[in-house]
Amino acid sequence: MAGVQTAVALREQGFDGPLTLLGAEPHQPYDRPPLSKAVLLGKAEDSAFDVDFEGLGIELRLGTEVTGLRAADRELDTEAGPVPYEVLVLATGAEPLTLPGTEGVPGVHLLRTLDDAARLRPVLAAAPRAVVVGAGWIGAEFATAAREAGCEVTVVEAADRVLAGAVPAEVAEPMARWYEEAGAELITGAKVAGIEEGRVLLADGRALPAGAVVVGIGARPATGWLAGSGVERGPDGSVTADAYLRTSLPGVYAVGDCASFPSGRYGKRLLVHHWDNALQGPRTVAANILAEVGAGAGAGEAGEVYDPVPYFWSEQFGRFVQYAGHHGGADTLLWRGDPAGAAWSVCWLRAGALVAVLAVGRPRDVAQGRKLIEAAVPLDPSKVADPSTPLKSAAA
Protein backbone atom coordinates (compact mmCIF):
# COMPACT_ATOMS: atom_id res chain seq x y z
CA MET A 1 0.00 0.00 0.00
CA ALA A 2 2.63 2.55 1.06
CA GLY A 3 4.94 1.81 -1.86
CA VAL A 4 2.19 1.93 -4.48
CA GLN A 5 0.69 5.11 -3.05
CA THR A 6 4.11 6.80 -2.98
CA ALA A 7 4.70 6.00 -6.65
CA VAL A 8 1.22 7.18 -7.64
CA ALA A 9 1.54 10.36 -5.54
CA LEU A 10 4.87 11.19 -7.17
CA ARG A 11 3.24 11.08 -10.61
CA GLU A 12 0.17 13.00 -9.42
CA GLN A 13 2.39 15.71 -7.96
CA GLY A 14 4.39 16.12 -11.15
CA PHE A 15 7.45 13.90 -10.91
CA ASP A 16 8.32 12.88 -14.48
CA GLY A 17 11.58 10.98 -13.97
CA PRO A 18 12.08 7.21 -14.02
CA LEU A 19 10.21 5.45 -11.22
CA THR A 20 10.72 1.84 -10.14
CA LEU A 21 8.64 -0.14 -7.65
CA LEU A 22 10.36 -3.22 -6.20
CA GLY A 23 8.36 -5.93 -4.44
CA ALA A 24 9.34 -9.31 -3.05
CA GLU A 25 5.98 -10.93 -3.79
CA PRO A 26 5.21 -12.17 -7.33
CA HIS A 27 1.65 -10.83 -7.30
CA GLN A 28 0.38 -7.53 -8.65
CA PRO A 29 0.41 -5.05 -5.73
CA TYR A 30 -2.69 -5.59 -3.60
CA ASP A 31 -4.64 -4.20 -0.67
CA ARG A 32 -4.42 -6.11 2.62
CA PRO A 33 -7.71 -5.42 4.52
CA PRO A 34 -9.80 -7.70 2.25
CA LEU A 35 -7.48 -10.64 3.03
CA SER A 36 -9.16 -11.27 6.39
CA LYS A 37 -12.61 -10.76 4.90
CA ALA A 38 -13.69 -11.18 1.25
CA VAL A 39 -10.57 -12.98 -0.02
CA LEU A 40 -10.42 -15.36 2.94
CA LEU A 41 -14.10 -16.29 2.58
CA GLY A 42 -13.88 -16.81 -1.19
CA LYS A 43 -15.98 -13.76 -2.03
CA ALA A 44 -13.08 -12.27 -4.01
CA GLU A 45 -10.10 -13.85 -5.75
CA ASP A 46 -7.68 -11.07 -4.93
CA SER A 47 -7.52 -7.41 -3.96
CA ALA A 48 -5.17 -5.99 -6.58
CA PHE A 49 -4.95 -2.19 -6.72
CA ASP A 50 -6.72 -0.60 -9.67
CA VAL A 51 -3.62 1.26 -10.84
CA ASP A 52 -2.42 1.57 -14.43
CA PHE A 53 1.29 1.21 -13.65
CA GLU A 54 2.28 1.11 -17.31
CA GLY A 55 0.22 4.19 -18.14
CA LEU A 56 1.82 6.05 -15.22
CA GLY A 57 5.29 5.05 -16.31
CA ILE A 58 5.95 3.06 -13.13
CA GLU A 59 8.27 0.10 -13.68
CA LEU A 60 7.13 -2.87 -11.60
CA ARG A 61 9.77 -5.39 -10.57
CA LEU A 62 7.83 -8.14 -8.85
CA GLY A 63 9.35 -11.16 -7.15
CA THR A 64 12.43 -9.06 -6.44
CA GLU A 65 13.56 -9.26 -2.84
CA VAL A 66 15.90 -6.53 -1.67
CA THR A 67 18.63 -7.90 0.58
CA GLY A 68 20.79 -4.89 1.36
CA LEU A 69 21.40 -1.17 1.00
CA ARG A 70 24.79 0.38 0.19
CA ALA A 71 24.37 4.09 0.78
CA ALA A 72 27.88 5.06 -0.37
CA ASP A 73 27.12 3.67 -3.83
CA ARG A 74 23.43 4.59 -3.75
CA GLU A 75 22.60 1.01 -4.66
CA LEU A 76 20.27 -1.72 -3.46
CA ASP A 77 21.32 -5.34 -3.46
CA THR A 78 18.82 -7.83 -4.89
CA GLU A 79 19.01 -11.45 -5.99
CA ALA A 80 18.83 -10.16 -9.56
CA GLY A 81 21.78 -7.83 -9.08
CA PRO A 82 22.33 -4.26 -7.87
CA VAL A 83 19.70 -1.57 -8.44
CA PRO A 84 20.92 2.06 -8.39
CA TYR A 85 18.82 4.87 -6.97
CA GLU A 86 18.88 8.64 -6.81
CA VAL A 87 16.12 8.85 -4.19
CA LEU A 88 14.94 5.80 -2.27
CA VAL A 89 11.70 5.20 -0.35
CA LEU A 90 11.58 2.35 2.18
CA ALA A 91 8.04 0.96 2.31
CA THR A 92 8.69 -2.64 3.36
CA GLY A 93 5.78 -2.81 5.80
CA ALA A 94 5.64 -5.25 8.69
CA GLU A 95 5.94 -8.99 9.12
CA PRO A 96 3.81 -11.06 11.49
CA LEU A 97 5.26 -12.38 14.73
CA THR A 98 5.46 -16.15 14.90
CA LEU A 99 5.12 -18.48 17.86
CA PRO A 100 8.50 -20.03 18.68
CA GLY A 101 8.68 -23.69 17.77
CA THR A 102 5.73 -23.66 15.36
CA GLU A 103 7.61 -23.33 12.08
CA GLY A 104 6.86 -26.29 9.86
CA VAL A 105 4.08 -27.65 12.09
CA PRO A 106 1.20 -28.72 9.81
CA GLY A 107 -1.99 -26.69 10.17
CA VAL A 108 -0.39 -23.54 11.62
CA HIS A 109 -1.13 -20.37 9.66
CA LEU A 110 -0.35 -16.67 9.61
CA LEU A 111 -2.53 -14.16 7.80
CA ARG A 112 -0.55 -11.34 6.26
CA THR A 113 -0.16 -12.01 2.54
CA LEU A 114 -2.31 -13.05 -0.41
CA ASP A 115 -0.61 -16.45 -0.35
CA ASP A 116 -1.49 -16.82 3.34
CA ALA A 117 -5.14 -16.14 2.53
CA ALA A 118 -5.04 -18.56 -0.41
CA ARG A 119 -3.70 -21.33 1.83
CA LEU A 120 -6.28 -20.66 4.53
CA ARG A 121 -9.34 -20.37 2.31
CA PRO A 122 -9.80 -24.09 1.53
CA VAL A 123 -9.01 -24.94 5.15
CA LEU A 124 -11.82 -22.70 6.37
CA ALA A 125 -14.15 -24.02 3.71
CA ALA A 126 -13.73 -27.47 5.25
CA ALA A 127 -14.99 -25.96 8.53
CA PRO A 128 -12.48 -27.48 10.96
CA ARG A 129 -12.30 -26.67 14.64
CA ALA A 130 -10.07 -23.59 14.60
CA VAL A 131 -7.91 -22.11 17.33
CA VAL A 132 -6.87 -18.48 17.04
CA VAL A 133 -3.86 -17.39 19.08
CA GLY A 134 -4.19 -13.71 19.96
CA ALA A 135 -7.27 -11.62 20.81
CA GLY A 136 -6.17 -8.40 19.14
CA TRP A 137 -7.67 -6.75 16.07
CA ILE A 138 -6.51 -9.39 13.56
CA GLY A 139 -7.48 -12.26 15.89
CA ALA A 140 -11.01 -10.89 16.22
CA GLU A 141 -11.31 -10.41 12.45
CA PHE A 142 -10.14 -13.95 11.74
CA ALA A 143 -12.44 -15.40 14.40
CA THR A 144 -15.29 -13.50 12.72
CA ALA A 145 -14.45 -14.98 9.31
CA ALA A 146 -14.03 -18.49 10.74
CA ARG A 147 -17.43 -18.34 12.43
CA GLU A 148 -18.99 -17.11 9.20
CA ALA A 149 -17.41 -20.09 7.42
CA GLY A 150 -19.03 -22.44 9.93
CA CYS A 151 -15.98 -23.29 12.03
CA GLU A 152 -16.04 -23.89 15.75
CA VAL A 153 -13.62 -21.29 17.09
CA THR A 154 -11.55 -20.95 20.25
CA VAL A 155 -9.50 -17.79 20.77
CA VAL A 156 -6.54 -18.02 23.15
CA GLU A 157 -5.00 -14.85 24.62
CA ALA A 158 -1.94 -14.72 26.89
CA ALA A 159 -3.03 -11.44 28.49
CA ASP A 160 -5.92 -11.35 30.93
CA ARG A 161 -8.20 -9.58 28.45
CA VAL A 162 -8.76 -8.81 24.78
CA LEU A 163 -6.98 -5.89 23.08
CA ALA A 164 -4.57 -5.66 26.02
CA GLY A 165 -2.05 -3.50 24.22
CA ALA A 166 -4.58 -1.38 22.38
CA VAL A 167 -7.28 0.01 24.69
CA PRO A 168 -7.92 0.30 28.45
CA ALA A 169 -9.56 -2.59 30.29
CA GLU A 170 -12.89 -0.82 30.74
CA VAL A 171 -13.16 -0.25 26.98
CA ALA A 172 -12.11 -3.79 26.12
CA GLU A 173 -14.58 -5.39 28.54
CA PRO A 174 -17.75 -4.91 26.46
CA MET A 175 -15.86 -5.96 23.32
CA ALA A 176 -14.90 -9.27 24.94
CA ARG A 177 -18.59 -10.16 25.15
CA TRP A 178 -18.82 -10.11 21.36
CA TYR A 179 -16.90 -13.40 21.16
CA GLU A 180 -19.51 -15.34 23.14
CA GLU A 181 -22.36 -13.66 21.27
CA ALA A 182 -20.79 -14.85 18.01
CA GLY A 183 -20.40 -18.39 19.32
CA ALA A 184 -16.63 -18.24 19.72
CA GLU A 185 -14.96 -19.47 22.91
CA LEU A 186 -12.54 -16.96 24.46
CA ILE A 187 -9.79 -18.11 26.84
CA THR A 188 -7.74 -15.29 28.38
CA GLY A 189 -4.69 -15.47 30.65
CA ALA A 190 -3.59 -18.60 28.80
CA LYS A 191 -0.10 -18.99 27.38
CA VAL A 192 0.54 -21.41 24.52
CA ALA A 193 3.20 -23.95 25.51
CA GLY A 194 3.37 -25.60 22.10
CA ILE A 195 1.48 -26.61 19.00
CA GLU A 196 1.36 -30.13 17.63
CA GLU A 197 -0.49 -31.33 14.58
CA GLY A 198 -4.16 -31.27 15.52
CA ARG A 199 -3.90 -29.59 18.90
CA VAL A 200 -2.73 -26.57 20.84
CA LEU A 201 -1.03 -27.17 24.18
CA LEU A 202 -1.53 -24.56 26.90
CA ALA A 203 0.91 -23.87 29.71
CA ASP A 204 -1.69 -24.96 32.30
CA GLY A 205 -1.76 -28.46 30.80
CA ARG A 206 -4.90 -28.15 28.71
CA ALA A 207 -4.90 -29.42 25.14
CA LEU A 208 -7.25 -27.79 22.63
CA PRO A 209 -8.20 -29.79 19.53
CA ALA A 210 -7.43 -27.79 16.40
CA GLY A 211 -7.92 -28.63 12.75
CA ALA A 212 -6.38 -25.25 11.99
CA VAL A 213 -4.37 -22.79 14.07
CA VAL A 214 -4.07 -19.13 13.13
CA VAL A 215 -1.47 -17.02 14.91
CA GLY A 216 -2.31 -13.33 15.24
CA ILE A 217 -0.02 -11.97 17.96
CA GLY A 218 1.17 -8.79 16.28
CA ALA A 219 3.72 -7.67 13.73
CA ARG A 220 7.12 -6.01 13.63
CA PRO A 221 8.62 -3.68 11.02
CA ALA A 222 10.19 -5.65 8.15
CA THR A 223 13.56 -3.94 8.46
CA GLY A 224 16.02 -6.70 9.32
CA TRP A 225 17.56 -6.41 5.86
CA LEU A 226 18.75 -2.89 6.75
CA ALA A 227 21.30 -4.15 9.30
CA GLY A 228 24.65 -2.49 8.65
CA SER A 229 23.17 -0.05 6.12
CA GLY A 230 23.48 3.06 8.27
CA VAL A 231 19.70 3.53 8.42
CA GLU A 232 18.86 4.34 12.03
CA ARG A 233 16.28 2.07 13.62
CA GLY A 234 14.52 2.16 16.98
CA PRO A 235 14.27 -0.58 19.64
CA ASP A 236 11.04 -1.76 17.99
CA GLY A 237 12.86 -2.22 14.67
CA SER A 238 11.15 0.72 13.01
CA VAL A 239 13.09 3.09 10.80
CA THR A 240 13.29 6.31 12.83
CA ALA A 241 12.14 8.82 10.24
CA ASP A 242 12.12 12.54 10.98
CA ALA A 243 9.14 14.89 10.73
CA TYR A 244 9.55 14.93 6.92
CA LEU A 245 9.74 11.09 6.79
CA ARG A 246 13.45 11.26 5.93
CA THR A 247 15.78 8.60 7.34
CA SER A 248 19.29 9.08 8.73
CA LEU A 249 20.72 8.58 5.21
CA PRO A 250 20.65 11.30 2.53
CA GLY A 251 18.08 10.74 -0.19
CA VAL A 252 16.36 7.91 1.71
CA TYR A 253 12.79 8.19 3.03
CA ALA A 254 10.62 5.71 4.95
CA VAL A 255 6.84 5.41 5.11
CA GLY A 256 4.08 3.09 6.32
CA ASP A 257 4.34 0.18 8.77
CA CYS A 258 8.14 0.07 8.67
CA ALA A 259 8.68 3.65 9.90
CA SER A 260 8.05 5.61 13.08
CA PHE A 261 7.76 9.39 13.06
CA PRO A 262 7.80 12.17 15.68
CA SER A 263 4.32 13.51 16.36
CA GLY A 264 4.24 17.14 17.46
CA ARG A 265 0.52 16.71 18.15
CA TYR A 266 1.10 13.93 20.68
CA GLY A 267 4.62 14.79 21.81
CA LYS A 268 6.04 11.35 21.13
CA ARG A 269 7.28 9.06 18.36
CA LEU A 270 4.49 6.98 16.80
CA LEU A 271 4.64 3.65 14.98
CA VAL A 272 1.28 3.20 13.24
CA HIS A 273 0.53 -0.22 11.71
CA HIS A 274 -2.66 0.74 9.91
CA TRP A 275 -3.96 1.22 6.38
CA ASP A 276 -4.65 4.95 6.64
CA ASN A 277 -1.04 5.68 7.59
CA ALA A 278 0.07 3.87 4.42
CA LEU A 279 -2.32 6.07 2.44
CA GLN A 280 -1.53 9.46 4.00
CA GLY A 281 2.23 9.20 4.51
CA PRO A 282 3.08 8.71 0.82
CA ARG A 283 1.58 12.10 -0.10
CA THR A 284 3.97 13.78 2.31
CA VAL A 285 6.92 11.69 1.08
CA ALA A 286 6.12 12.58 -2.55
CA ALA A 287 5.90 16.29 -1.75
CA ASN A 288 9.21 16.21 0.11
CA ILE A 289 10.98 14.25 -2.63
CA LEU A 290 9.85 16.84 -5.16
CA ALA A 291 11.09 19.59 -2.86
CA GLU A 292 14.44 17.80 -2.54
CA VAL A 293 14.83 17.04 -6.23
CA GLY A 294 13.81 20.57 -7.13
CA ALA A 295 16.15 22.18 -4.61
CA GLY A 296 18.96 19.70 -5.09
CA ALA A 297 19.26 19.50 -1.31
CA GLY A 298 17.39 18.29 1.77
CA ALA A 299 13.73 19.16 2.10
CA GLY A 300 14.52 21.36 5.08
CA GLU A 301 12.01 24.05 5.83
CA ALA A 302 10.64 23.77 2.30
CA GLY A 303 9.32 20.32 3.13
CA GLU A 304 5.98 19.13 4.44
CA VAL A 305 5.74 17.89 8.02
CA TYR A 306 3.91 14.60 8.61
CA ASP A 307 1.78 14.75 11.76
CA PRO A 308 -1.53 12.97 11.07
CA VAL A 309 -4.37 12.03 13.36
CA PRO A 310 -3.92 8.22 13.20
CA TYR A 311 -7.01 6.33 12.08
CA PHE A 312 -8.05 2.73 11.62
CA TRP A 313 -11.10 0.52 11.45
CA SER A 314 -11.92 -3.11 12.16
CA GLU A 315 -14.90 -5.20 11.09
CA GLN A 316 -15.59 -7.88 13.67
CA PHE A 317 -18.56 -9.88 14.92
CA GLY A 318 -21.03 -7.85 12.86
CA ARG A 319 -19.73 -4.52 14.16
CA PHE A 320 -17.81 -1.68 12.55
CA VAL A 321 -15.19 -0.35 14.95
CA GLN A 322 -13.29 2.86 14.20
CA TYR A 323 -10.56 4.66 16.09
CA ALA A 324 -8.94 8.03 15.53
CA GLY A 325 -6.13 9.69 17.44
CA HIS A 326 -3.84 8.42 20.21
CA HIS A 327 -5.14 8.09 23.77
CA GLY A 328 -1.79 7.72 25.53
CA GLY A 329 -1.44 10.68 27.89
CA ALA A 330 -5.17 11.41 28.06
CA ASP A 331 -6.48 12.48 31.47
CA THR A 332 -10.24 11.99 30.91
CA LEU A 333 -12.29 9.13 29.44
CA LEU A 334 -15.93 9.76 28.54
CA TRP A 335 -18.56 7.31 27.25
CA ARG A 336 -21.14 8.20 24.63
CA GLY A 337 -23.95 5.66 24.77
CA ASP A 338 -24.37 2.28 26.45
CA PRO A 339 -21.53 -0.18 25.74
CA ALA A 340 -24.04 -3.01 26.04
CA GLY A 341 -25.91 -1.59 23.06
CA ALA A 342 -25.28 -1.75 19.33
CA ALA A 343 -23.73 1.72 19.01
CA TRP A 344 -21.47 3.62 21.41
CA SER A 345 -18.29 5.64 21.53
CA VAL A 346 -15.46 6.46 23.90
CA CYS A 347 -13.73 9.85 23.90
CA TRP A 348 -10.37 10.63 25.47
CA LEU A 349 -9.53 14.21 26.46
CA ARG A 350 -6.31 15.83 27.57
CA ALA A 351 -6.50 19.24 29.23
CA GLY A 352 -10.06 19.55 27.93
CA ALA A 353 -9.28 18.86 24.27
CA LEU A 354 -10.13 15.67 22.38
CA VAL A 355 -7.10 13.46 21.62
CA ALA A 356 -8.78 10.18 20.60
CA VAL A 357 -12.14 8.60 19.89
CA LEU A 358 -13.22 4.97 19.47
CA ALA A 359 -16.63 4.37 17.93
CA VAL A 360 -18.73 1.25 17.50
CA GLY A 361 -21.46 1.83 14.92
CA ARG A 362 -21.20 5.63 15.28
CA PRO A 363 -19.16 6.73 12.24
CA ARG A 364 -20.12 10.39 12.62
CA ASP A 365 -18.39 10.51 15.99
CA VAL A 366 -15.12 9.51 14.34
CA ALA A 367 -15.54 11.82 11.33
CA GLN A 368 -16.31 14.79 13.58
CA GLY A 369 -13.82 13.67 16.22
CA ARG A 370 -10.89 13.69 13.79
CA LYS A 371 -11.60 17.32 12.96
CA LEU A 372 -11.87 18.24 16.64
CA ILE A 373 -8.56 16.50 17.36
CA GLU A 374 -6.91 18.48 14.56
CA ALA A 375 -8.42 21.72 15.86
CA ALA A 376 -7.38 20.97 19.48
CA VAL A 377 -10.26 23.09 20.81
CA PRO A 378 -11.52 22.77 24.42
CA LEU A 379 -14.74 20.74 24.72
CA ASP A 380 -17.61 20.71 27.19
CA PRO A 381 -17.39 17.27 28.88
CA SER A 382 -21.13 17.16 29.54
CA LYS A 383 -21.84 17.62 25.83
CA VAL A 384 -19.21 15.04 24.87
CA ALA A 385 -20.86 12.51 27.19
CA ASP A 386 -24.32 13.13 25.73
CA PRO A 387 -24.71 10.71 22.78
CA SER A 388 -27.58 12.78 21.40
CA THR A 389 -25.33 15.84 21.01
CA PRO A 390 -23.20 15.82 17.83
CA LEU A 391 -19.52 15.90 18.78
CA LYS A 392 -18.98 18.89 16.53
CA SER A 393 -21.37 20.81 18.81
CA ALA A 394 -19.44 19.99 21.99
CA ALA A 395 -17.04 22.93 21.86
CA ALA A 396 -16.85 24.68 25.22
Side-chain angles (χ1 to χ4, degrees), residues 67-72 77 223-233 249:
T67 56
L69 165 59
R70 288 177 287 108
D77 290 322
T223 59
W225 66 280
L226 289 168
S229 68
V231 172
E232 182 182 315
R233 292 180 291 161
L249 294 180

Side-chain angles (χ1 to χ4, degrees), residues 8 24-25 82 90 95 98 115 134 193 197 212 245 284 290 297 307-308 313 396:
V8 171
E25 293 184 62
L90 307 176
E95 55 196 5
T98 58
D115 288 338
E197 186 172 4
L245 298 182
T284 297
L290 287 167
D307 195 6
W313 79 94

Side-chain angles (χ1 to χ4, degrees), residues 238-288:
S238 66
V239 175
T240 52
D242 68 7
Y244 304 98
L245 298 182
R246 299 175 299 192
T247 73
S248 55
L249 294 180
V252 181
Y253 294 76
V255 66
D257 288 8
C258 73
S260 63
F261 57 89
S263 171
R265 187 189 315 279
Y266 292 105
K268 65 178 295 184
R269 181 167 286 275
L270 298 181
L271 175 61
V272 180
H273 279 189
H274 293 298
W275 185 92
D276 191 66
N277 181 50
L279 174 68
Q280 305 295 341
R283 297 168 184 167
T284 297
V285 167
N288 290 337

